[in-house]
Amino acid sequence: MSFTLIDLKVEAAIATITLNRPDKRNAMSDDMRSEFIEALEQVAADKSIKALVLTGAGKGFCAGGDIAGMERRMNAPAGEIGFNGWHRQQRVHHTQSLLHTMPKPVIAAVNGAASGLGADTALACDFIIASEFATFTWSYINRGIIPDGGGMYFLPRRVGLPRAKELIFTGRKVDADEALTLGIVDRKSSSATLVADAQAWAAELGAGSATALALTKTILNQSFELSSHDVFAQGSQAQGICYTSTAHRNSVMAFLSKAAAPANKE
């Protein structure tokens, strides 16, 4: 599939997806979402890719849902609005799930405004690095709707329940410095080096065993909902898989070879 509303590049085993509707501050239209899903599935399936960086073209990261799409939904026949909305939600949730469950590290490089669905999209990634121009706002309340991109799940896990309620109830804007203080953002970077810094961090995060990373991430993503017994049980199964992996065998054999080598004599 050729992409026009996003850009996908792979360099040195790091994929970078750029949302590419800068004139609309990268608002997520239905067409963009289709391309985004295709790109995420492609990255997830490509074993040569070790990590993913997500950013936006121009001044914005993602302005949320496309207003033109909202207008079309409101103008649909009354008997179709509910089902159309349900269908759209399935696509939204599929997209966010692809980010959240990506079997490799994902970093959001937030270059500008991340609003509504844009803020949720950043939260669906494993880590967030922000430029000095980044802002975050869960502005759904201003449209009379609820956070539908995972914000009600992800945000409390980053900032705690009372703070998440305050940010969602008010829809107020959070700048990069406050976001870093609250824990919404993990790192801050200059706009001039934001993507390069994110790519370097992604390379560091993705350098280990792809098998171990994917299995660990899968379990960690569920750890708040699971009992310790369940985490240990899933961990036992995952470790059994790791024992059979090429990465584990090679690392053990390399260690044993080094330990068996005679000491150098001067």
Side-chain angles (χ1 to χ4, degrees):
M1 179 178 180
S2 60
F3 300 123
T4 57
L5 300 176
I6 67 154
D7 180 61
L8 170 61
K9 293 181 179 178
V10 180
E11 185 175 354
I14 304 302
T16 302
I17 293 178
T18 304
L19 304 178
N20 193 25
R21 294 182 76 203
D23 56 320
K24 302 294 185 182
R25 299 296 176 98
N26 304 313
M28 188 67 69
S29 66
D30 290 341
D31 289 339
M32 176 187 271
R33 183 175 293 106
S34 294
E35 291 190 14
F36 193 25
I37 288 171
E38 179 73 18
L40 290 172
E41 290 176 339
Q42 184 175 322
V43 171
D46 190 338
K47 293 183 179 180
S48 70
I49 295 174
K50 299 300 184 182
L52 168 65
V53 171
L54 174 65
T55 193
K59 295 182 179 180
F61 176 74
C62 177
D66 185 56
I67 293 294
M70 295 181 189
E71 183 180 16
R72 285 194 298 273
R73 287 194 297 276
M74 289 191 301
N75 290 333
E80 297 179 11
I81 292 175
F83 181 76
N84 289 350
W86 176 86
H87 183 265
R88 175 186 176 275
Q89 287 298 302
Q90 301 308 299
R91 298 283 286 172
V92 171
H93 297 163
H94 179 53
T95 308
Q96 302 303 84
S97 180
L98 285 171
L99 272 177
H100 181 52
T101 63
M102 176 72 61
K104 52 200 76 181
V106 183
I107 299 174
V110 180
N111 53 303
S115 306
L117 181 61
D120 282 353
T121 298
L123 288 180
C125 301
D126 297 308
F127 305 96
I128 301 174
I129 184 170
S131 81
E132 67 272 27
F133 300 117
T135 61
F136 300 82
T137 175
W138 284 267
S139 52
Y140 297 91
I141 196 73
N142 299 326
R143 299 286 178 264
I145 54 177
I146 68 170
D148 62 355
M152 292 190 290
Y153 179 86
F154 298 123
L155 190 57
R157 284 160 173 75
R158 277 191 169 263
V159 304
L161 184 58
R163 181 64 70 189
K165 287 179 178 179
E166 185 261 329
L167 293 173
I168 290 171
F169 292 175
T170 64
R172 71 177 179 85
K173 186 179 294 186
V174 178
D175 65 22
D177 288 331
E178 184 181 6
L180 187 62
T181 299
L182 292 177
I184 296 168
V185 165
D186 302 297
R187 294 186 181 184
K188 188 179 173 185
S189 175
S190 165
S191 59
T193 61
L194 175 68
V195 173
D197 290 344
Q199 291 168 336
W201 190 14
E204 178 185 354
L205 292 166
S209 162
T211 300
L213 275 170
L215 293 170
T216 300
K217 178 174 174 177
T218 298
I219 297 171
L220 283 174
N221 279 352
Q222 306 172 70
S223 60
F224 282 9
E225 289 75 39
L226 297 177
S227 67
S228 60
H229 173 80
D230 291 333
V231 172
F232 279 120
Q234 289 196 24
S236 295
Q237 294 173 349
Q239 194 71 303
I241 296 171
C242 288
Y243 285 157
T244 68
S245 70
T246 301
H248 174 66
R249 179 177 178 81
N250 289 346
S251 66
V252 171
M253 295 305 294
F255 180 84
L256 293 174
S257 297
K258 184 178 179 180
N264 294 327
K265 296 182 179 180
E266 296 182 1

